[in-house]
Amino acid sequence: SPVWLNNDKYDAGLVKSYIPESEPINEAGPTWWFKIYAIIVALVKFPKIIFTKNILNFYFDKVKYGDIAYDSYLYTHKVSTIKTINLKLIRQMALCVYRHLKIKAILKSGNYVGVLVSHQVGIRSGVLLRVALRYGYRGYFRFCSTVLCEFKNLPEVYDYPLKPTPAEIDLIIQKLGTKLETIFQEVLNKYVTGSTNKDALLAFSSSHKYYTDREKFNADFGLSQNKKNIFIMLHAFTDSPHSHFKWMIFKDYYDWFIKTLQFAKGHPEFNWIFKQHPSIKFYQSRDVNFNELFKNCPKNVTYLDGENQLNTRSLIACADLVVTCMGSAGFEIPAIGGVPSVTAGDNFYTGLGFALEPKNKEEYFKILSQADKIEKLSPPARLRAKA
């Protein structure tokens, strides 16, 4: 039967209304000693991080925690990037170790089979899942309220839930045949109305301006009608840039954005449209002023801020290329409109046969510099995006 990790949000009455015999798990082991040990571990490992400038390579007990420490730092301090490695990072490292020691002690103290988490990321859920897998327990993840995923080993924690394989995409196309288009339209209608995803509800909101005419869009934003439109789909900088990835080309979302913006300023042969993330209001970064960053940009570079959002379906008519790290627009717009996409890291549709997937910065910027040579997706590639 299930038991519950006790925390300050635990509601015993609510839990018992579901399962009367359930009880919370209290902390196990000498937690005061865990705190001291965690601080010592963080202090000992911190100099190596300063020397190598590689936060992501922080491990404890053969478990990688650098990504969680990095992402927790961004979220805790509401900053877009770690410009300089500083002592505040030690706290995030120590919290990872402390959580690891507590969870290990709890699991070893009883007859437990596994753990169930609501997130793969963060110190609370992310560390819980990794400790369980480290010591041979089952790891389960509740995805989108209705789907239960199982992880069998530590490397799998970077796999997006329900990520399809190329073989599964092949099978969908083969089995559905001509029915694929009908089913795709049914799923798409649910998706763009927000029935399946809150981010999609914001991205495709009917309250946002929807362009079906490219010339009208370019005229409204003072963009040349004779240049390719490249849409840069911004990410929420504090929303776990590393814990969802096996790898990424840039240091983090901000590093990707700022280097792409610098590149755009030097390439007047294209129109560059930087579209703010639809959920940005939930992920504020106190160290970034977008208006200042875009104040003196060339006329071919424009910024669509969070207050003046564009309905993402506008990209079907207005975009020649979509650029993202792991954003859903990288498969949505190719599927809906056959518009090619470029990704700047591993993501949940890598290797499925429709996105352009550079492996390093040189390849990434080479693709952008040759955007005028990139054609719309072929029918087979678009079909894979739909699948």
Side-chain angles (χ1 to χ4, degrees), residues 338-356:
V339 179
S341 63
V342 180
T343 60
D346 173 52
N347 64 73
F348 52 96
Y349 47 91
T350 293
L352 298 186
F354 55 84
L356 297 168

Side-chain angles (χ1 to χ4, degrees), residues 40 63 105 117 144 164 350 353:
I40 293 172
V63 182
V117 298
C144 292
T350 293

Side-chain angles (χ1 to χ4, degrees), residues 36-66:
I36 295 173
Y37 186 70
I39 293 171
I40 293 172
V41 169
L43 288 170
V44 168
K45 290 181 176 288
F46 186 67
K48 183 179 180 180
I49 289 175
I50 293 179
F51 180 74
T52 62
K53 295 181 170 57
N54 188 354
I55 300 170
L56 299 181
N57 203 33
F58 165 50
Y59 281 77
F60 174 70
D61 192 19
K62 299 180 180 180
V63 182
K64 183 180 179 181
Y65 286 127

